[in-house]
């Protein structure tokens, strides 16, 4: 569970909220006194309260948030005014929290997305970092509470789906965040923000796409990373590896699973011209797991022999639920969707990834006590089709008709790690292709996708992830300079690269240090 929590926490915060000085806006107007402001409620909602709190800035610390790791403090934050607007649609209570720097406002508004079942910046440092960078920042809890892993809000006291909160989480609250956040910003500074941006990863990425599809005039620029846009299909598919293990009544050890990936990487690593421990295009790696049958693997002081059953299970996990959705790609860790017990790290426990597990329990079975480990292949197909039929129109967020967003003049910048261990990047590629077929014309003029070989969910892995994609988006929106590449790096900075706009990927030129960007070209 600890490993899963750390993986999930990494998806809460967007990679970067900093903007280079070269793109800074003109000097900001003098801020007003930190006090409640008058704002009009969005259509269909009523304002319950407006509360203002004067924050001194400096070093901002964050409370513990078990089971997640404690968020490190953020230093050098300017003093800011925190204005919380509480909305209701009758039975709910939705908080829209706005953080407004008292000095140095760059005349931009930035909305921060959520993670898993949390609709907003529950950890808190993304919003604070946005303030430090000069933005008027805002986020929302959608009325569903702060937990990314516990959607207890999904069911009413009678066991029915809470349609109000589901609508909030799916699409309404990000729109109301835009409406209220921009209104609070204007009321506080006495002028509207010059530009409005969305910044989110995972659920936050899905929210960004939802805004482009449903409310195309809300944001001038949308940054969407590792987006869960195909939620109605991805969420049930997140239990697939556990279904395979439980159906087959056998679980390869975590050491064997790592050995399968290591062998796949060895076989497919150099197809991009360089051996760097990363499969550049994992979806094109066809290495057969059966090749490992009979080999011995060292595992916590014991030797285990890879069996035909091990290879069959790995193949089925890699293939995914055929004809329905994508599986894990070769080289991507199994630890995200097939967790182990920390007390017994060698063996997966057969429990699904928490987000998929909760989706089945609360939204499909409507029974929090349901044991998802009892789901078998035939059950899975029924659950998958139920999810697609019932929830695609509500939370699918995969409508390829972005013509209204193009007409609005907005820019959508998306990126996805090809080693994403939670949300397969093939979903983002499939969506991009469908947009091209539906919208036609030069889709790159308003929507650009970047794929990051070796990057994981919302950040770097063995391969680099974008270091400041928001800066590239700001330059695109405000200066009309569309990004053909995104600067990227591994977590320790030892490998840097320029990611290429889809469908291109970096290719080694055949000479030079493979850890520097100059040794690659887009092809």
């Amino acid at each position: 569970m600890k490993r899963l929590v750390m993986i999930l926490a990494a998806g809460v915060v967007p990679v970067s909220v900093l903007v280079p000085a070269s793109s800074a806006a003109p000097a900001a107007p003098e801020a007003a006194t930190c006090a409640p402001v008058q704002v009009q409620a969005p259509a269909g909602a009523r304002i319950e309260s407006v509360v203002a709190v004067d924050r001194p800035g400096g070093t901002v610390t964050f409370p513990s948030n078990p089971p997640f790791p404690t968020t490190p403090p953020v230093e050098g934050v300017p003093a800011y005014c925190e204005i919380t607007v509480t909305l209701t649609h009758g039975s709910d209570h939705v908080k829209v929290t706005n953080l407004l720097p008292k000095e140095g406002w760059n005349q931009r508004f930035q909305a921060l997305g959520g993670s898993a079942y949390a609709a907003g910046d529950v950890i808190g440092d993304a919003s604070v970092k946005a303030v430090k960078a000069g933005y008027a920042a805002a986020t929302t809890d959608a009325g569903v509470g702060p937990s990314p892993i516990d959607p207890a809000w999904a069911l009413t006291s009678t066991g029915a789906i809470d349609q109000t909160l589901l609508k909030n989480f799916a699409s309404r609250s990000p729109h109301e965040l835009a409406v209220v956040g921009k209104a609070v910003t204007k009321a506080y500074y006495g002028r509207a923000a010059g530009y409005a941006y969305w910044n989110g990863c995972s659920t936050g990425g899905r929210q960004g796409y939802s805004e482009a599809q449903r409310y195309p005039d809300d944001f001038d620029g949308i940054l969407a990373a590792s987006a869960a846009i195909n939620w109605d299909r991805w969420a049930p598919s997140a239990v697939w590896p556990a279904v395979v293990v439980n159906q087959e009544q056998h679980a390869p050890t975590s050491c064997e699973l790592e050995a399968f990936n290591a062998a796949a990487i060895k076989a497919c690593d150099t197809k991009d011209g360089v051996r760097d421990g990363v499969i550049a295009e994992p979806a094109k790696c066809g290495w057969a797991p059966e090749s490992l049958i009979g080999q011995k693997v060292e595992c916590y002081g014991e030797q285990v022999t890879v069996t035909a059953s091990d290879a069959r299970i790995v193949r089925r996990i890699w293939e995914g639920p055929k004809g329905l959705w994508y599986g894990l790609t070769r080289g991507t860790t199994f630890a995200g969707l097939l967790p182990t017990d920390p007390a017994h790290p060698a063996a997966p426990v057969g429990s699904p990834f928490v987000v998929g597990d909760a989706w089945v329990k609360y939204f499909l079975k409507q029974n929090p006590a349901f044991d998802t480990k009892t789901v078998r292949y035939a059950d899975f197909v029924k659950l998958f089709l139920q999810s697609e039929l019932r929830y695609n129109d509500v939370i699918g967020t995969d409508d390829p008709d972005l013509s209204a967003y193009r007409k609005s003049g907005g820019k959508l910048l998306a990126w996805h790690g090809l080693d994403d261990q939670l949300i397969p990047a093939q979903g983002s590629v499939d969506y991009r292709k469908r947009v091209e077929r539906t919208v036609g014309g030069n889709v790159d003029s308003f929507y650009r996708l970047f794929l990051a070989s070796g990057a994981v969910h919302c950040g770097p892995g063995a391969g680099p992830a974008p270091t400041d994609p928001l800066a590239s988006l700001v330059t695109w929106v405000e200066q009309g300079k569309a990004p053909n590449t995104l600067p990227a790096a591994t977590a320790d900075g030892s490998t840097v690269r320029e990611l290429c706009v889809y469908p291109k990927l970096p290719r080694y030129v055949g000479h030079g240090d493979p850890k520097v960007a100059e040794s690659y070209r887009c092809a």
Side-chain angles (χ1 to χ4, degrees):
M1 180 63 180
K2 182 178 180 181
R3 180 186 292 181
L4 272 179
V5 164
M6 294 181 71
I7 290 171
L8 186 59
V12 174
V13 181
V15 171
S16 176
V17 293
L18 299 181
V19 176
S22 60
S23 63
E30 184 176 346
T33 302
C34 186
V37 296
Q38 293 290 327
V39 292
Q40 185 175 350
R46 177 173 58 85
I47 293 178
E48 292 187 308
S49 66
V50 180
V51 177
V53 179
D54 214 337
R55 300 295 187 187
T59 297
V60 178
T61 59
F62 305 94
S64 60
N65 188 33
F68 293 93
T70 301
T71 303
V74 178
E75 299 178 348
V77 180
Y80 60 94
C81 181
E82 180 179 304
I83 298 178
T84 301
V85 179
T86 302
L87 309 170
T88 184
H89 307 90
S91 59
D92 58 345
H93 307 282
V94 177
K95 294 185 183 301
V96 178
T97 302
N98 305 267
L99 280 57
L100 305 125
K102 292 186 174 183
E103 296 180 355
W105 178 45
N106 61 19
Q107 299 189 48
R108 300 184 182 108
F109 170 76
Q110 183 183 157
L112 286 304
S115 172
Y117 291 107
D121 177 25
V122 293
I123 302 299
D125 64 340
S127 298
V128 171
K129 287 177 180 177
V131 169
K132 182 177 178 180
Y135 287 87
T139 193
T140 180
D141 70 357
V144 302
S147 176
I149 58 177
D150 181 13
W153 53 266
L155 302 177
T156 66
S157 58
T158 62
I161 297 293
D162 192 316
Q163 297 296 337
T164 297
L165 293 180
L166 176 58
K167 183 176 181 179
N168 288 353
F169 178 71
S171 61
R172 179 164 57 188
S173 286
H175 169 59
E176 292 183 338
L177 167 60
V179 173
V180 172
K182 288 191 287 187
V184 168
T185 299
K186 182 178 180 179
Y188 182 73
Y189 291 111
R191 69 169 67 175
Y195 297 94
Y197 294 94
W198 178 272
N199 191 351
C201 188
S202 195
T203 285
R206 181 193 65 77
Q207 292 168 317
Y209 275 96
S210 174
E211 281 292 286
Q213 294 164 20
R214 299 172 188 251
Y215 304 100
D217 295 322
D218 279 354
F219 293 99
D220 302 293
I222 294 172
L223 175 60
S226 304
I229 49 177
N230 308 282
W231 186 283
D232 58 299
R233 284 162 288 168
W234 163 73
S237 294
V239 309
W240 175 252
V243 171
V244 173
V245 165
N246 291 317
Q247 172 83 43
E248 302 293 331
Q249 297 184 330
H250 172 71
T253 64
S254 59
C255 311
E256 290 171 290
L257 294 175
E258 291 174 5
F260 279 107
N261 269 333
I265 292 171
K266 183 178 180 180
C268 298
D269 184 353
T270 57
K271 290 187 177 182
D272 61 342
V274 64
R275 183 170 295 282
D276 58 359
V278 172
I279 302 176
E281 296 183 82
K284 293 184 178 180
C285 177
W287 178 81
E290 293 77 12
S291 305
L292 218 60
I293 295 173
Q295 293 198 24
K296 296 187 181 298
V297 176
E298 186 74 21
C299 192
Y300 294 93
E302 298 182 7
Q303 278 205 337
V304 294
T305 301
V306 177
T307 67
S309 294
D310 296 327
R312 181 173 64 253
I313 287 169
V314 168
R315 176 172 288 280
R316 287 182 173 170
I317 292 174
W318 280 346
E319 290 175 342
K322 286 185 176 181
L324 298 176
W325 200 240
Y326 304 99
L328 286 174
T329 51
R330 288 161 173 77
T332 298
T333 180
F334 293 85
L337 298 184
L338 197 60
T340 58
D341 181 349
H344 305 282
V349 295
S351 296
F353 174 50
V354 289
V355 176
D357 184 57
W359 183 254
V360 171
K361 288 179 176 178
Y362 285 89
F363 292 90
L364 301 181
K365 289 295 185 178
Q366 295 179 218
N367 176 12
F370 178 75
D371 185 0
T372 316
K373 288 190 289 185
T374 64
V375 175
R376 300 297 182 259
Y377 291 149
D379 306 316
F380 173 84
V381 173
K382 293 177 182 178
L383 290 169
F384 183 96
L385 296 177
Q386 176 194 353
S387 179
E388 186 176 25
L389 180 64
R390 186 172 182 182
Y391 292 106
N392 179 259
D393 289 343
V394 180
I395 198 172
T397 325
D398 58 351
D399 181 357
D401 187 359
L402 293 179
S403 55
Y405 192 64
R406 175 167 64 181
K407 185 178 180 181
S408 77
K411 309 299 181 187
L412 171 57
L413 193 158
W415 73 268
H416 208 134
L418 290 176
D419 279 6
D420 194 318
Q421 71 279 35
L422 303 181
I423 301 175
Q426 300 99 303
S428 288
V429 173
D430 172 74
Y431 178 77
R432 165 69 196 209
K433 291 177 178 178
R434 291 192 297 115
V435 171
E436 291 173 353
R437 292 195 298 267
T438 302
V439 177
N442 182 14
V443 173
D444 275 349
S445 66
F446 73 97
Y447 170 28
R448 297 198 168 202
L449 171 66
F450 294 80
L451 301 176
S453 301
V456 297
H457 190 63
C458 294
T467 51
D468 200 350
L470 183 59
S472 297
L473 178 61
V474 167
T475 299
W476 188 11
V477 168
E478 299 179 21
Q479 301 178 29
K481 299 177 180 178
N484 290 315
T485 60
L486 291 183
T490 50
D492 62 2
S494 62
T495 299
V496 296
R497 202 154 298 167
E498 293 285 335
L499 303 183
C500 307
V501 65
Y502 174 86
K504 296 180 179 180
L505 288 171
R507 289 287 185 268
Y508 186 60
V509 297
H511 54 82
D513 185 349
K515 291 184 176 294
V516 301
E518 291 75 17
S519 299
Y520 295 81
R521 63 181 177 85
C522 292

